[in-house]
Amino acid sequence: MTAPMTPTSAPVRPFTVSIPQAEIADVKQRLARTRWPDPETVGDWSQGVRVENARALVEYWERGYDWRRLASELNRFPQFLTEIDGLDIHFIHVRSKNPDAMPLLLTHGWPGSILDFLKLIGPLTDPVAYGGEAADSFDVVVPSLPGFGFSQKPTETGWNASRIASAWVELMGRLGYAKWAAQGGDWGGAVTTALGAMEPEGLVGIHLNTQFAFPAQIPDTLSPEERQAVESLALYTGGLGGSNHLQGTKPETVGFALADSPAGQAAWIYEKFQSKTDNHGLAEDALSRDDMLDAISLYWFTNSAASSGRIYWENKAASFAGPRLTLPVAVTVFPKDVPRLPRSWIEDTYSNLVHYGEADKGGHFAALEQPEILVNEIRAGLRSLRS
């Protein structure tokens, strides 16, 4: 179903990651000169990132972390730029050796990036090499959201989830795909949901590990699972929502605060990994320091604190009460996701639910935390759409 047609639109140019050594030296010098705040006055993370933990992460970034390793890993994959709607969009594109592979568009969120999916590309494009079946092969397309990573930064307003979804439709057509599927979580889930609502020609279905399925009006009577969902949403918008609120209201101020301080950028993202991963007290239980610093370094070297944060500002009217979708939808719920939605609301919102899965571990950043589980869920969720 997926033999690529001949592309018919604007050129697609190769791209290679290359960060000058002077920039790497600069960040190490800045880290060495970090002026640290006073320690928190509580014994937990309720005031934000703990100074002791941030110091350990930043000291490793300065003395032990190797950006060149990550750049080499990225450059093992075919990367490209193409101009869509006035912006250069960066993406990874890996074709399977299987001519019947299903094209799959993977969209990241914040503070994510294309790095979230690096461990998924091999198993998705070459499942046999990872113990799977050839029939589950995918061609994989992984774009960087506008203003994120190596994609160009918007210089005008209007880049909300729907506009990004329209750009993704153009991208998949430009690559020659007549039929394709899409997957996403966090903001990637919002963009993928917008794709589902648009139902563009060629989109056969979607897989979501972040679901936008809250009722527009919360019922007075709730099951225990539904009440837990309401409580988790209150936590998401309340105690865990500091960075979301600031980026949704003052993203440029956030950019000023972080653009000149790599330690500040590290703390900003580290706290998010701490609060939304499936961990036992520290983010390092779920993600390695290298995993976290890969993400942090990409934001630093691309100076994208402000431009990425604007996705919250552009979508500040959005909510977790998403549109009702009629195209095929596959869903995987991870136990430590925040917010975590009940099956009853998911089934009510997605009338053509082709797969419902519950993982036994994992949090909000499923691709980074549990890549093997997510690969298996994507395979199972989209298998029925291959005819």
Side-chain angles (χ1 to χ4, degrees), residues 193 206-216 218-219 223 225-226 229 232 320-335 337 339-359 377:
T193 298
I206 64 174
H207 177 276
L208 299 170
N209 60 277
T210 298
Q211 305 85 39
F212 295 82
F214 274 84
I218 301 297
S223 69
E225 293 79 13
E226 291 167 348
S232 71
F320 278 93
R324 294 182 180 272
L325 302 183
T326 58
L327 89 169
V329 178
V331 160
T332 303
V333 176
F334 285 80
D337 197 5
R340 178 181 173 178
L341 277 73
R343 183 167 184 168
S344 59
W345 290 349
I346 289 170
E347 290 178 337
D348 183 58
T349 302
Y350 308 137
S351 60
N352 192 1
L353 188 66
V354 296
H355 172 82
Y356 177 87
E358 289 191 7
E377 282 293 304

Side-chain angles (χ1 to χ4, degrees), residues 1-21:
M1 65 175 284
T2 64
M5 303 179 297
T6 302
T8 59
S9 194
V12 174
R13 298 116 59 199
F15 177 85
T16 300
V17 175
S18 179
I19 302 297
Q21 182 59 38

Side-chain angles (χ1 to χ4, degrees), residues 45-50 54 57 110-111 239-244 264-277 279 283 292 296 365:
W45 287 67
S46 60
Q47 292 182 352
V49 66
R50 293 176 59 82
L57 184 68
W110 182 91
L240 301 186
S243 58
N244 298 1
Q265 179 71 90
W268 191 255
I269 292 177
Y270 182 29
E271 192 279 331
K272 185 59 65 174
F273 286 145
Q274 168 70 22
S275 64
K276 298 193 74 177
T277 55
N279 64 67
M292 291 187 285
I296 291 163
F365 305 107

Side-chain angles (χ1 to χ4, degrees), residues 89-92 108 113-114 142-151 168:
I89 299 299
H90 167 259
F91 63 98
I92 293 173
H108 66 85
S113 68
I114 57 169
V142 190
S144 298
L145 291 166
F148 287 71
F150 300 107
S151 281
W168 284 186

Side-chain angles (χ1 to χ4, degrees), residues 9-11 13 81-89 152 170 174:
S9 194
R13 298 116 59 199
L81 293 174
T82 191
E83 184 179 330
I84 300 174
D85 197 3
L87 292 183
D88 267 347
I89 299 299
Q152 195 171 357
E170 172 66 21
R174 188 168 296 180

